[in-house]
Amino acid sequence: ACGGGGSESTVGDDGGGGGGSNGVVKIGGIFDETGATGDVGAPYADGARSYVEYINSQGGIDGVNIELISEDYAYDISRAQQIYQSLRDRHDVSAIIGWGTGDTEALRSQIIADQIPYFSGSLSENLKDTGSESGFNYLVAASYSDQGRAVLEWIRENHEGDFPVTLALVYEKGNPFSESPMQDIKDYAAEQMDGEIEIVNDILIELSDNDPLTTLQAYERNQGQPDYAITQYTWGQTRNVVRDAHNLEWNTQFIGLNWAGGEGIVPSGADNQQWVEALDGFMATITHAFPYEDLPGMEPILQYLESKGRSIEDDDVNQKFVQGWVTMSIFGEAIRIALEDYSPDEIDGVVMKEAIEQIDDLDLGGLAANVSFSPDNHAGTDRLRLGQLRDGQWEIIQDYFGISDYQ
Amino acid sequence: MGFLLQMIITGVVVGSIYALVALGFVLIYRASGALNLANGEFVLIGSYICLTLVAVYQIPFIFAFLLTLVFNVLLGMIVERVVLRPLINAPTISVIMATIGLSSLLAGFAHMIWGYQTQSYPPVFPSTPIRMGEIIISPVYLWSFIIVIIMLILFGLLFKYSKLGLAMRAVADDQMAASSVGISVKNVYLITWGFASLVAAVGGVLLGNINGVDATMATIGLTVLPVVILGGLDSILGAIVAGFLVGIIQNLTAGYLEPILGGGLKEVIPFIIVTLILMIKPHGLFGKGGIERV
Amino acid sequence: MRNPFVMECGNYKTNYSKDMHLFRIPRVKLRIFIIVLLLFLLPLFTSNYVIGLATLCAIASIGAIGLNILTGFTGQISVGVGAFLAIGGYTSAILTSILGWSFWISLPLAGLVTAIVGGIFGIPSLRLKGLYLAIATLAAQFIVLWAIGRFSGLTGGGEGMVLQRPSIGSFTFSSQTSYYYLCLVILLLVTIYTLNLFRAKTGRAFLAVHHRDVAAQIMGIHLLKYKVVAFALSSFIVGIGGALLAHYTMIVTVELYSIDVSIQYLAMILVGGLGSVFGSILGAIFITLLPVALGYMIEFLTVYMPNAYSLLNSFQEFVFGLVIILFLIFEPGGLIHIWNNIKTYLRLWPFSY
Amino acid sequence: MNKIMEIKNISLQFGGVKALNDVSFHINEGEIFSIIGPNGAGKTSMLNCISGLYKPSEGEIHYKGKNILPMKPHQRTKLGIARAFQNIALFGSMSVLDNLKLGRHTLMKSGFIKSGIYWGAAEKEEVQHRRKVEEVIDFLQLQDIRHTPVDKLPYGLQKRVEVGRALALDPELILLDEPMAGMNASEKEEMSRFILDMLELKNITVVLIEHDLEVVMGLSNHLVVLDFGKQIGFGTPKEVQQNPDVIKAYIGEELTI
Amino acid sequence: MLRINNVEVVYNKSILAIRGVSLEVPDGKIVALLGSNGAGKSTTLKAISGLLKQEGGAITEGTIEFEKEQIHGMDPDKIVEKGIFQCIEGRRVFTHLTVEENLLTGAYTRKDRKNIPDDIERVYHYFPKLKMLRKKLSGLLSGGEQQMLAIGRGIMARPKILLLDEPSLGIAPLLVKEIFENIKQINTEEGTSILVVEQNANIALSIADYAYVLENGRIVMQGSVDKLLSDESVKAAYLGFDKKEKGDIREVKSYKKIKRFV
Ligand SMILES: Nc1ncnc2c1ncn2[C@@H]1O[C@H](COP(=O)(O)OP(=O)(O)OP(=O)(O)O)[C@@H](O)[C@H]1O
Ligand SMILES: Nc1ncnc2c1ncn2[C@@H]1O[C@H](COP(=O)(O)OP(=O)(O)OP(=O)(O)O)[C@@H](O)[C@H]1O
Ligand SMILES: [Mg+2]
Ligand SMILES: [Mg+2]
């Protein structure tokens, strides 16, 4: 890194768990475990940490341990800024695993200046950019926009009934995360779906609006019910919107992107029958696997959990856990590549970037779609699955597919 | 017409929750002249307590609810004793700041115990909405409406027929003079915080029934601020009326304005309205202003 | 830079002038001089990390002084600092990135634009008092952020806008140290300005408005004018802080300026001391560094409780609240009061009165 | 003698209550003029009308021949009308010096730019006005407490600072609302001297509200007597003391001096 | 019944306001406390009623005894319950409460609630003006009206001992006379002991049995009213202008320095 902070006296406590290591590579983590998105952020952070513990307990990567130095920024962007400075200057990390749209955006310029590759939980299309604006960001799963485009393709192929179908976008205008894919989806529909999918007026509901009912009602009055609706919220608000549409007896098929998928959308507790009912039939894009799926990539996770006395029955081992684990494991792969040419202490941000960009069709054991990067491609994949809630459980109804299949 | 009516009726019922939470603010303001920015956290904790009693300890809802009230009253009193009492003679803004600290403290406490995942509330009220012609109301909201009315009457009577109401206003007005006539500022604080916390618990239980409980529930504290101000910080009636009013305005906005002007207005509109109304009535609709004579 | 405190020496003409110096006692003057000197020498003996934190502290101090002018000195509670920081940041972003203007022009303009918006939001202050006014500023917070999100053509909407570090000729303030110096110098100017302000006419009028506005009126103080000026002046400084922050992070997005930010700034001036310039700085440092300190604490604890991340994180939140409360209980006058008490104690020692 | 101020048919209402009811009198330049009357008669309200805090529903107030009713309070201050309040309205945590300097607010020119830069114009101005303020300090004998925050002072001294603040303005007309309340006899005497000196040394016309009849009758050139908002007497102390309405409403038989 | 022994009060841990004040209010008597501005009269009263704490003051030495019981350190509300009621200086009415509500606060600690309406009438009888203003917010009252209200609050409390801090402040002369007559009446009819701080020494001494003079935080003189009245220095400082100068204040040419005892 160019920060010049390598010589400082404050060095993090060295070495993670396992013995016999001959060096460490430091990765920084900026997670939200207690903030606004803590419900999904905490398992994600847990997954990322677990991967590191696991890999170190296996003797590291070619004998080199990963040290993950992470802090909870509680979705407070100024805190994220401080943590970033600490990771850069105090710990001199080679790469960072980040979280929300807010912190990722806020650090976008700095990581370029500091040359630190950054994997974010946020999958905004603009992070694909390989140029000067986000040149050190990488997308480890299909971008929100690609997810939305894929959903359009899926609807075109699977819709039973007449065309054109109507589709509404449900999001908060002005919210970086929520609004992120919407223009791209509209453009795609206009260019590719003419006469088949008609995007009708947006349904704008703020993330903090606890009572979307009237907005939906008003919408119905002016526009009628759409056939499909794509939402871009996290669990809580998706749930409220779908529930209220259910109460209004809408026949719309709601499809949530990325963060709407996953177990937590149905509130836990024995008394959740009302929610199970209201959410029945809800669909979401699934970028990462559920822990209960029988996949080769689950082996290490199960092994790790067992070593810790935990199991996938635990509430906190869920799809977001897998997502954190997988994201971190891509760094693991990059380190492996880097170690072919460099010694551990030579691995800085630039080397990491070089290594990441050599990743080619990395098999993630079914936990997620294979990823590839190159200097002019920072989007690891465009592939995803679709899941549907039936009786409170997610069922995969469409195996991996991606927007590139259609071009 | 049916649509307009629907918007107004949903406005009223949603507003009843606002009114309830706003009531908590008004109580604290009346006794200490300060905003309790930890009100949302009291709501959150009340909600969690009731949930835990029902879900974990399998206590029938009605008893769990009553126990929750008791618990929250105690919580409010403990908070007063430990945090607010030492600040009795401090400037208002310090008290407000203390409640900000308190909100962080209570939130941390709630998170440590209950985590972040949304938990479903036991279905106390039927979840299928009641339909009357075109009009749809969730039973929860209907109940909250009824409960708000009961609370209004209860507190109205309390203030009318006990010395407490007078003592609270005296304390808020001039603590030194209040002590001089034999009002125990400490006791007034203690009781007020107990009541405010109780009201918050009721709000928490109702809200839990609507959207489930998770950490984000505490934001209701902020959402409801325009309501409190609109009604007038020291007016119980104001809190109730403004609660309904803001509910209705929000719904009318969602129903009529947003389709034209674009979304998101619903959340900002209370602030715009409040600012405008304050320009005409600087102490809200029912608030008593400061009196300055020379 | 010529040291401003030196300028003052030997400049007095009468006794009164001397009596009215910023620091009446030479010893105090010396002490301040040494502190400033140390701040300038800081980069020589600390790491980049510390300099980075110091930069954040300096920027926060600028904002806190701005807020204190309005809330601490003039008594108009504002919970809309976040919005004004945003206006400063976005103005500079638009001027430098879209229009391609120099940072050195955009910085004062960012202050100016913020001052104008602040002044407009200050107009209700003639009729609104106390918490009612606070809500009007809270409304500013929501409305401004809403507008920034909405006018995405100008502001980049959710994506925000990218900015560059400033430069003079071929020199760019891209290193930690250089940007630290930039912020430090501006903080110094702001500090001196504010200290001066409050020993002369305008500042006194602000204080008068704070205490009793009816009496102030009879002293010939035009209430609306002074309240609006207080809003504008405070916003100007906050806007400068916002622009500095924006050029430091090199990006602006709405999420940087949430209501939490406004509350943090309020916490700074309360913990530091209402109506005190040095208090603002102490408070800004305290509130900026408290999470860092708590972060260290968690880091330390995780060594012993490696599996308790989420618990510890909530614990951090808990402790943050606790510290603020303890502070208010044991020192409602703020850090500046502790500092003054220590001084009084030392001066009077060994006699207690 | 020149009339410095003329009050013409002033009425003022609060709700249904007439706090002032068709009051008319005039104040001559260079005299001590007193307003007396029972509690709640409308004396303070009268001053509030003069200084612009209350807007009378009817009538006119002329200051040096000019109707000042349309003017804002701060504008009237600029004309040289200063005031000390009945309920002390000092700026609590500020020092005596700063309170007095505030009195000179309208006489100072530097705005927020010059104030903030200070060195140069503002400093010069501050020093120059400090000199004036010190005169007031000497005049009212406040030397010892110059730097004391006023809320730490006992009631009586606060009253004196209150008067000082009004004096600092270099007014032509000063309105004093019960400046001697809470003082004992000798302190009152001292304050009386100050008031006389104001007139004699600084040629300031004084409007005084005071309940101590000895003081009032001794000091005033003319008085107006209010009762329930109505003017029941106007004239020299002698005339007023013989007015039966005044005796009945205010002075009382035994207290007649 | 009330005895203060050698009390010393310090404000903000640094300002010594009174030092070694001792005084006594016998059962059923009226005691006057005189002294110039800043002498510490109000401080003495606040020390008795327990209100000092709220002003950042503390009793650092000495004891306060009421009916043989130590009341020093008790909370103010407990002290009021014991029967000591202070009408604090500077009126301090509850500005947002109406006149009648203010009177009700005066009776806050009373147990015999059914007598309260009668007492309100009694206050209105003493101060008819208040009756007219009963529904008005007291913050809007004139200075004198507020002062009547403050005294009225004291009457409502029916204390065993009433501490009055400058009751004549801002009151018109006719009414001052009446108020003091009323105070005397309360004292004789109800046996209420009274400790009155007053600048208007003439009127205070006219009803008092005993008086103390406080200067610079010390009691410098005490004695029966007759004794004080005959003291030249007291006369000069507290009882007004020399009679022959009456009406001729203007003729007083030289500054008469306030006579201080210390
Ligand atoms: N809250 C306070 N903090 C600090 N000092 C105080 C405070 N209150 C009073 N004092 C000081 O204590 C001394 C006695 O004041 P006190 O108010 O008792 O005087 P007093 O005799 O009642 O005078 P007055 O007749 O003016 O009311 C004064 O010197 C005053 O400055
Ligand atoms: N702002 C107001 N609102 C309502 N009533 C008011 C207001 N100001 C004054 N009054 C009423 O007007 C009457 C006259 O009040 P004012 O203060 O002028 O009396 P005053 O002559 O100064 O009496 P005092 O000698 O007691 O100070 C009082 O009855 C008072 O209650
Ligand atoms: Mg008056
Ligand atoms: Mg006193």
Side-chain angles (χ1 to χ4, degrees), chain E residues 112-131:
Chain E
D112 56 330
R113 307 209 65 81
K114 62 177 190 308
N115 296 332
I116 289 176
D118 288 345
D119 281 355
I120 290 187
E121 282 311 314
R122 197 161 64 111
V123 174
Y124 289 156
H125 169 73
Y126 289 145
F127 305 112
K129 187 98 207 238
L130 289 183
K131 186 160 191 174

Side-chain angles (χ1 to χ4, degrees), chain D residues 122-167:
Chain D
E123 180 172 27
K124 217 168 115 196
E125 190 178 41
E126 288 289 323
V127 170
Q128 174 195 338
H129 286 269
R130 170 73 186 267
R131 218 168 273 139
K132 289 283 186 188
V133 165
E134 288 291 336
E135 280 175 25
V136 176
I137 289 181
D138 287 341
F139 184 74
L140 290 177
Q141 299 168 2
L142 299 168
Q143 293 88 340
D144 302 347
I145 52 166
R146 219 183 250 127
H147 293 293
T148 318
V150 287
D151 56 5
K152 296 268 162 9
L153 296 174
Y155 192 85
L157 273 180
Q158 291 192 14
K159 277 256 142 185
R160 207 185 301 174
V161 177
E162 176 89 38
V163 172
R165 190 177 59 180
L167 261 185

Side-chain angles (χ1 to χ4, degrees), chain D residues 69-185:
Chain D
L69 274 191
M71 298 176 110
K72 292 253 159 52
H74 63 92
Q75 293 169 322
R76 302 189 195 192
T77 310
K78 285 209 179 79
L79 295 179
I81 304 177
R83 165 147 186 208
F85 296 93
Q86 177 177 14
N87 291 339
I88 291 171
L90 291 170
F91 305 110
S93 59
M94 298 168 82
S95 69
V96 171
L97 201 57
D98 280 338
N99 268 282
L100 296 184
K101 274 190 190 161
L102 264 166
R104 294 195 70 76
H105 180 86
T106 51
L107 304 171
M108 300 173 82
K109 278 179 214 68
S110 31
F112 64 92
I113 295 177
K114 279 189 191 156
S115 285
I117 296 169
Y118 193 80
W119 296 292
E123 180 172 27
K124 217 168 115 196
E125 190 178 41
E126 288 289 323
V127 170
Q128 174 195 338
H129 286 269
R130 170 73 186 267
R131 218 168 273 139
K132 289 283 186 188
V133 165
E134 288 291 336
E135 280 175 25
V136 176
I137 289 181
D138 287 341
F139 184 74
L140 290 177
Q141 299 168 2
L142 299 168
Q143 293 88 340
D144 302 347
I145 52 166
R146 219 183 250 127
H147 293 293
T148 318
V150 287
D151 56 5
K152 296 268 162 9
L153 296 174
Y155 192 85
L157 273 180
Q158 291 192 14
K159 277 256 142 185
R160 207 185 301 174
V161 177
E162 176 89 38
V163 172
R165 190 177 59 180
L167 261 185
L169 191 78
D170 274 348
E172 294 178 22
L173 179 70
I174 192 168
L175 314 172
L176 303 175
D177 198 345
E178 303 195 14
M180 299 174 215
M183 296 188 175
N184 63 27

Side-chain angles (χ1 to χ4, degrees), chain A residues 34 39 204 211 214 243 268, chain B residues 116-117 210-211 251 263 266:
Chain A
T34 62
D39 53 351
L204 299 176
D211 175 49
T214 35
R243 185 259 330 258
S268 55
Chain B
Y116 288 86
Q117 306 303 320
I210 297 169
N211 289 335
N251 276 303
K266 198 177 161 186

Side-chain angles (χ1 to χ4, degrees), chain B residues 30-51:
Chain B
R30 277 204 167 200
S32 56
L35 275 184
N36 172 19
L37 292 178
N39 200 11
E41 276 70 23
F42 281 101
V43 172
L44 177 68
I45 289 183
S47 194
Y48 270 132
I49 293 285
C50 186
L51 177 75

